[in-house]
Amino acid sequence: MRILFVGAGGVGSAAVAIAARRSFFEKLVVADYDLARAERAVAGLDDRFVAARVDASSAEAVAALCREHGITHVLNAVDPRFVMPVFEGAFAAGADYLDMAMSLSKPHPVRPYQECGVKLGDEQFAAADRWAEAGRLALVGIGVEPGMSDVFARYAADELFSTIDEIGVRDGANLTVQGYDFAPTFSIWTTIEECLNPPVIWESGRGWYTTEPFSEPEVFDFPEGIGPVECVNVEHEEVLLIPRWVKAGRVTFKYGLGAEFIEVLKTLHKLGLDSTEPVRVGGVSVAPRDVVAACLPDPATLGDRMRGKTCAGTWVRGTGKDGSPREVYLYHVVDNEWSMAEYGHQAVVWQTAINPVIALELLAAGTWSGSGVLGPEAFAPKPFLDKLVEYGSPWAIREQ
């Protein structure tokens, strides 16, 4: 296996650190628009690792780099704006493809908070037949959420339940960042995109529909000392992926943002600072959201200032295998102190990065295989969860 990582930011660099301890691949090229950042990601590693420069907005550039290095698998670790060119570049070069966030959505032009417009991943699923006919695999949404959360959903359906009434992905943390009044622990560009777009809900008999941002607040009690966190509806890929392969009455995604974070996002929206459309400032054109991102600290650099834990998990309610009502929360917790001491990467990006590396190892071994555009739910969940334990970061189940 010869792998190309596109993007050497927080998640990409953490994935490099995780992959460096594994032996399932022959070569790993780490590419970024900023060559120096790619070089930092591979510094001190063995000769399997190579740094390169790439323009992720150009499918032709991605394809050329794949051909130059004989790449068999491309992992997209840049923000969702670049999903389609990296996706198309991998296909053009005859490589398989993985990502952690799917092609962007567009709200319904008339009823944005009732009906879906272009959904997350629609552009990629439109190409599914082309990928299948070519015998190529695009494994989409294989980060932590989406990704590990989707594996949990499939495991619950296979092993724990006879029927499922509801699947709800619930994400929460008690992380703090010392020295900053406001410092997101993940890409603010992506956070704005998913939090201010209309959230999607799926219901059997109705299909996918939308609601208003931050709707249906609930307090969810997260494990391992994190405790109760208010969670709200947020647009996320799991709701678009899980119903394609797992039968359930309802599917939701709720994020524990906190009141202050929600108010900041609402203010950005009111001021138009969430916009991706360039505006003229003096003699230059700049997108307001890019300015916001540039003014905030890089999440990858915050690890030394962060304290606390982050939890990703999937809550499932239905009828157990024994015919009795059952409710469980399958989850994975990462302590920032541990991830920094063990890998030198903060908890949120590390928890995202471990999942595509595990998926690549399963593909290299032939344990997972397929063609077309597939989500994590399309594959056997137990080998993935066993690898998670093998990598030293176990998961757990809590009976509700």
Side-chain angles (χ1 to χ4, degrees):
M1 178 179 280
R2 298 171 69 88
I3 308 167
L4 169 63
F5 283 6
V6 180
V11 175
S13 295
V16 172
I18 295 165
R21 302 189 183 187
R22 311 302 294 184
S23 60
F24 64 86
F25 57 92
E26 176 188 349
K27 186 175 188 178
L28 201 159
V29 178
V30 182
D32 197 277
Y33 190 79
D34 181 352
L35 177 59
R37 188 157 66 168
E39 290 173 336
R40 286 194 297 272
V42 302
L45 299 180
D46 60 64
D47 59 8
R48 293 178 300 165
F49 293 85
V50 177
R53 186 187 181 281
V54 72
D55 179 358
S57 69
S58 168
E60 293 78 12
V62 172
L65 189 59
C66 287
R67 295 186 185 106
E68 179 184 347
H69 293 278
I71 296 300
T72 62
H73 292 74
V74 175
L75 171 62
N76 183 351
V78 288
D79 77 51
R81 285 176 290 181
F82 305 107
V83 162
M84 290 311 295
V86 178
F87 178 80
E88 294 294 353
F91 183 83
D96 287 354
Y97 168 90
L98 299 87
D99 65 30
M100 294 167 277
M102 296 165 64
S103 59
L104 293 173
S105 64
K106 294 179 182 176
H108 191 279
V110 179
R111 292 166 51 85
Y113 303 130
Q114 293 83 29
E115 298 180 30
C116 295
V118 176
K119 301 187 298 300
L120 291 169
D122 273 358
E123 286 185 83
Q124 290 170 287
F125 281 113
D129 289 346
R130 178 160 53 92
W131 281 75
E133 289 165 5
R136 301 260 58 83
L137 170 65
L139 173 48
V140 296
I142 187 62
V144 58
E145 293 169 337
M148 183 192 298
S149 53
D150 303 70
V151 173
F152 285 153
R154 174 65 187 270
Y155 180 85
D158 287 358
E159 305 291 338
L160 306 179
F161 290 84
S162 56
T163 59
I164 293 175
D165 298 323
E166 184 169 357
I167 296 173
V169 179
R170 299 292 184 265
D171 179 301
N174 61 0
L175 293 166
T176 60
V177 183
Q178 297 176 344
Y180 289 97
D181 291 332
F182 182 77
T185 58
F186 201 70
S187 162
I188 188 62
W189 200 101
T190 303
T191 301
I192 290 172
E193 181 73 18
E194 63 189 20
C195 291
L196 293 179
N197 279 348
V200 181
I201 295 171
W202 188 89
E203 289 183 2
S204 177
R206 181 175 179 180
W208 287 292
Y209 66 94
T210 57
T211 181
E212 294 190 3
F214 316 120
S215 59
E216 299 182 1
E218 67 176 57
V219 175
F220 192 86
D221 187 19
F222 289 92
E224 298 193 25
I226 295 174
V229 178
E230 185 176 74
C231 298
V232 293
N233 279 323
V234 168
E235 180 191 49
H236 234 249
E237 286 90 345
E238 290 95 323
V239 180
L240 287 312
L241 287 170
I242 289 172
R244 298 175 189 267
W245 288 280
V246 178
K247 188 176 182 180
R250 193 170 194 258
V251 182
T252 60
F253 178 95
K254 293 188 180 183
Y255 197 3
L257 294 170
E260 181 186 18
F261 203 110
I262 290 173
E263 283 306 310
V264 169
L265 292 172
K266 286 181 176 179
T267 300
L268 292 174
H269 181 61
K270 286 178 183 178
L271 297 176
L273 295 174
D274 60 324
S275 174
T276 60
E277 293 299 320
V279 296
R280 294 290 294 179
V281 181
V284 298
S285 292
V286 60
R289 192 186 302 185
D290 290 340
V291 175
V292 172
C295 290
L296 291 170
D298 180 352
T301 67
L302 297 177
D304 291 334
R305 295 173 175 263
M306 285 171 57
R307 302 291 182 272
K309 300 175 181 179
T310 184
C311 178
T314 304
W315 164 75
V316 187
R317 175 177 59 86
T319 303
K321 295 290 188 182
D322 64 355
S324 301
R326 192 176 190 185
E327 186 177 334
V328 302
Y329 182 57
L330 302 92
Y331 67 90
H332 181 257
V333 171
V334 178
D335 187 316
N336 188 73
E337 183 179 358
W338 175 85
S339 66
M340 287 298 297
E342 184 71 16
Y343 283 90
H345 292 274
Q346 54 106 320
V348 177
V349 298
W350 188 91
Q351 189 183 43
T352 304
I354 188 174
N355 304 287
V357 178
I358 289 175
L360 284 164
E361 184 160 351
L362 294 173
L363 292 170
T367 308
W368 278 9
S369 63
S371 61
V373 178
L374 303 177
E377 306 86 348
F379 300 89
K382 196 168 184 308
F384 182 97
L385 297 176
D386 289 345
K387 281 289 181 189
L388 200 58
V389 175
E390 181 188 318
Y391 275 51
S393 190
W395 60 287
I397 301 177
R398 180 181 70 186
E399 296 286 342
Q400 298 286 92

